[in-house]
Structures are given as structure tokens and as C-alpha cells.
Amino acid sequence: MSSSPAEIVRSAQARSFMEGEELCREYLREKRMWFGTSTLQPGERGDIDPGHDSSVEVFYCASGHVLMHDGERDYELRPGDAVVVPEGLPHALSNIGDETAVLVWAGAPGEGQQNAG
């Protein structure tokens, strides 16, 4: 059992960056996993993520209406839906709805970087 305490990462501590029109906030990135959110306004599209060679990534749609593209297929997500992206699969997000879309994402195993906070 771990003797380390839990750690709060405040929104202001998250590493913010843009992938195209997609606002990303990364709360955690370490060797075991990464975790963050993506926000897209109506009509916005994120850049193509080339995928992760040895990691699986999960996207959970918290709000909005989103289309994830993998180059060949489209995956439509509404609140409460999730999509599992296998190792190495390129993907991009587009907000196809009328409201702000927020997706929560996590991947594992991580890619060896330290906590973004």
C-alpha cells in the first residue's frame, strides 16, 4: 500500500496547449499514464494525433457532440460515450454540435514524462 498522499492538481496548474483549434489541458503525464481534457467550440477541429506506439488512449465525452476520425472511420460521441484508441492509431477530434464539447482523456502506459503540474 502506498504511503504517499493524494495530490490535487488545480486547473491553473495543468499544462495548457493547443492542437489545432483544440484546447488541451494536461493534468498528469508520467511513466504509468497521462490524463487531461480537450475543449472544442462548435465547428472546431483538433490536429491529427499520430497515435501512441505502445499506449492505449481512452476519450470520454463529458459534454457536446464530437466526431473522432481515424483516417478511415468516424466515431460519433455524445455525453456519456467513450472511445478506446488502440496503440498507434492516428486520430483527430471535431466538434459537430451546437455547444462547447469537453472530452476527458487518459492513456497508459505513459511515455516517461513527469507530472505537468
Side-chain angles (χ1 to χ4, degrees):
M1 185 160 170
S2 175
S3 61
S4 298
E7 179 183 349
I8 295 174
V9 181
R10 304 284 181 202
S11 179
Q13 295 173 294
R15 183 174 73 94
S16 295
F17 57 97
M18 299 298 293
E19 289 191 351
E21 299 172 311
E22 176 185 348
L23 171 61
C24 300
R25 289 195 158 178
E26 188 172 67
Y27 293 82
L28 174 74
R29 180 169 288 267
E30 62 174 38
K31 64 182 179 179
R32 291 174 292 174
M33 69 175 292
W34 67 89
F35 176 84
T37 63
S38 289
T39 302
L40 293 152
Q41 298 304 317
E44 290 183 341
R45 180 184 170 122
D47 285 342
I48 296 173
D49 182 324
H52 306 275
D53 290 338
S54 59
S55 302
V56 173
E57 191 166 19
V58 176
F59 287 84
Y60 172 81
C61 184
S63 66
H65 186 190
V66 177
L67 202 62
M68 177 179 281
H69 323 277
D70 74 6
E72 294 181 23
R73 292 168 294 276
D74 294 324
Y75 308 89
E76 188 173 357
L77 302 171
R78 294 182 185 272
D81 294 341
V83 61
V84 178
V85 181
E87 294 95 338
L89 183 67
H91 51 279
L93 300 171
S94 297
N95 183 343
I96 59 172
D98 297 331
E99 63 183 73
T100 301
V102 177
L103 292 105
V104 179
W105 38 263
E111 298 173 331
Q113 297 179 8
Q114 296 301 314
N115 185 330

